[in-house]
Amino acid sequence: MPNSNQPAILVLQDGHVFYGKAFGKIGTTTGEICFNTGMTGYQEVFTDPSYYGQVLIMNNVHVGNYGINAEDLESETVKIRGLIGRNLEDKYSRYKATDSMDNYLKANNIVGIEDIDTRALVAHIRTKGAMNCIISSDILDVDKLKAQLAEVPDMDGLELASVVSTDKEYELGDPSAPLKIAVLDFGVKKNILTCLAERGAHVRVHPAKTPLSRLKEFNPDGYFISNGPGDPAAMPYAVETLKEILEEKKPIFGICLGHQLLALANGIPTFKMHHGHRGLNHPVKNIISGRCEITTQNHGFGVLPEAVKHHDNIEVTHVNLNDESIEGIRLKDRPAFSVQYHPESTPGPFDSRYLFDEFIEMMKAN
Ligand SMILES: NC(=O)CC[C@H](N)C(=O)O
């Protein structure tokens, strides 16, 4: 049963306080606040390792009404630090559902708060920008919460990918497949691996800090650089490995954090966005084909547009139609490309799955 009458408090780093009701685990949690505008796919979002360290606002007015099941997972556990909503539902209806969202959050030790005016809160974050927050349903003292919040480190400069990465190698796909892909796991979503393996590749997933020498032992036909949490600029170890991988001149495909790392490996700086892009309906133009794709997005950092546009060995392949931010790049002198958004969707549209096909074709041709 939900803690429907238990009060809870949300305090923002800029001092704003919102009062609501407890949901999920009774307790206190902190992290960088962010919002996702998607109407569905909350379980995939909760378990996306890219959200590690973040307290998530789901904009949709009702969240949880189709329950939880065992398949809709992008990793084995919930990765968000906390959940904020208007109506977080403990009652649910779906033939595939096995439990309520309330029980799922409790089982994953996730503190939530509902009955929040999420329209006002998101409008505030869109105006003031990303910041830290604290949610509590057991310390109902604003001054104590503000003192605790002041100790929370900013997301800028945080290396979190190695925290969520696998601690040992594992494989998937057909071991006799003609193509082999070495994945650097910085918080990879399960469906990315599925999208690679189901296209006839044998995939070996490596921990974040695996050196090129070990990656080469798999004798891969291509390298996949994964999505993941934290600040890309706080990952010099990954940038150095990617620079060495680039010298192999084998196909490279990067998604989200992988896109940011590919940019950094080519001397292009990243920057912290005002409030990020997180949702399922972001329009992106494929400059090569001229087509518009509706994309799934989840990022709070970006690559510096001016640096990309003036780089003599990089071509912009995709651009965001809302704010003209860089959404895709490719190198001119070797088979390496990346996108800022999530072509594997889960959740979201399937418009961009062709990118996985392009990666497979690139390896076949190389
Ligand atoms: N989904 C991701 O890979 C996120 C990349 C990076 N942590 C960001 O927030 O921009």
Side-chain angles (χ1 to χ4, degrees):
M1 281 298 287
N3 320 288
S4 51
N5 292 317
Q6 177 99 6
I9 302 179
L10 162 67
V11 181
L12 302 182
Q13 194 171 6
D14 68 358
H16 279 75
V17 181
F18 292 78
Y19 295 91
K21 292 188 286 189
F23 192 87
K25 179 189 172 192
I26 297 294
T28 300
T29 190
T30 61
E32 181 184 77
I33 199 166
C34 63
F35 61 89
N36 184 303
T37 57
M39 293 183 70
T40 62
Y42 51 81
Q43 191 176 352
E44 296 92 323
V45 169
F46 296 171
T47 54
D48 175 353
S50 308
Y51 280 98
Y52 184 75
Q54 291 179 310
V55 173
L56 175 68
I57 308 164
M58 289 300 283
N59 285 39
N60 192 28
V61 72
H62 290 283
V63 181
N65 37 16
Y66 57 79
I68 294 293
N69 70 24
E71 295 99 58
D72 295 343
L73 300 171
E74 289 304 307
S75 71
E76 288 313 310
T77 57
V78 172
K79 293 299 187 294
I80 59 172
R81 276 274 173 78
L83 180 64
I84 300 167
R86 180 73 184 81
N87 294 299
L88 300 178
E89 306 298 346
D90 63 304
K91 295 177 185 61
Y92 60 92
S93 168
R94 180 176 47 155
Y95 78 96
K96 284 175 60 177
T98 55
D99 205 349
S100 73
M101 189 173 77
D102 187 52
N103 288 340
Y104 184 63
L105 292 182
K106 285 187 171 92
N108 280 268
N109 289 317
I110 303 298
V111 174
I113 183 171
E114 68 167 332
D115 207 24
I116 293 291
D117 181 348
T118 45
R119 288 165 58 96
L121 175 58
V122 170
H124 183 76
I125 300 300
R126 281 180 56 85
T127 307
K128 292 295 191 70
M131 62 180 83
N132 286 338
C133 75
I134 188 166
I135 301 175
S136 185
S137 44
D138 63 353
I139 305 171
L140 301 179
D141 177 321
V142 171
D143 290 335
K144 282 182 181 170
L145 295 177
K146 284 181 176 177
Q148 197 169 328
L149 180 55
E151 303 302 314
V152 179
D154 286 341
M155 184 62 78
D156 310 43
L158 276 189
E159 194 282 329
L160 299 174
S162 59
V163 177
V164 297
S165 175
T166 180
D167 53 13
K168 52 183 177 301
E169 294 171 4
Y170 61 94
E171 297 184 6
L172 63 162
D174 176 0
S176 63
L179 289 175
K180 295 202 285 183
I181 300 170
V183 173
L184 266 179
D185 173 10
F186 296 123
V188 70
K189 288 173 67 181
K190 273 188 175 184
N191 200 42
I192 287 177
L193 299 175
T194 302
C195 285
L196 295 172
E198 71 185 5
R199 284 167 172 76
H202 178 204
V203 177
R204 178 184 287 175
V205 182
H206 300 78
K209 297 191 172 179
T210 303
L212 175 61
S213 56
R214 176 58 189 162
L215 298 173
K216 288 176 73 171
E217 288 178 28
F218 187 50
N219 191 25
D221 299 282
Y223 293 88
F224 180 80
I225 316 302
S226 92
N227 64 295
D231 183 348
M235 300 172 68
Y237 69 89
V239 174
E240 288 314 305
T241 302
L242 192 43
K243 284 177 179 174
E244 292 171 15
I245 293 173
L246 280 162
E247 290 315 302
E248 296 293 298
K249 294 198 172 34
K250 286 188 174 178
I252 299 171
F253 178 22
I255 289 179
C256 212
L257 181 65
H259 165 77
Q260 296 161 354
L261 293 170
L262 184 62
L264 286 166
N266 283 278
I268 295 167
T270 54
F271 69 99
K272 182 74 182 296
M273 297 167 76
H274 185 257
H275 54 270
H277 293 161
R278 293 177 185 85
L280 317 183
N281 65 348
H282 293 247
V284 168
K285 182 176 180 180
N286 178 326
I287 295 171
I288 315 295
S289 68
R291 286 171 58 97
C292 174
E293 304 165 23
I294 301 303
T295 66
T296 297
Q297 307 229 355
N298 164 24
H299 65 110
F301 294 87
V303 300
L304 212 54
E306 286 320 301
V308 176
K309 289 171 189 165
H310 292 102
H311 194 291
D312 57 10
N313 188 38
I314 285 188
E315 183 183 0
V316 177
T317 57
H318 297 77
V319 67
N320 189 299
L321 289 173
N322 283 338
D323 62 5
E324 298 186 345
S325 55
I326 304 295
E327 292 282 3
I329 60 174
R330 70 180 173 191
L331 271 64
K332 295 176 183 172
D333 69 348
R334 67 197 71 191
F337 73 110
S338 63
V339 287
Q340 180 65 76
Y341 58 97
H342 286 263
E344 81 288 352
S345 44
T346 54
F350 287 22
D351 296 22
S352 310
R353 293 286 170 91
Y354 70 90
L355 291 163
F356 292 100
D357 301 322
E358 289 188 0
F359 183 40
I360 295 291
E361 290 311 311
M362 198 179 262
M363 286 184 283
K364 285 178 183 172
N366 196 44

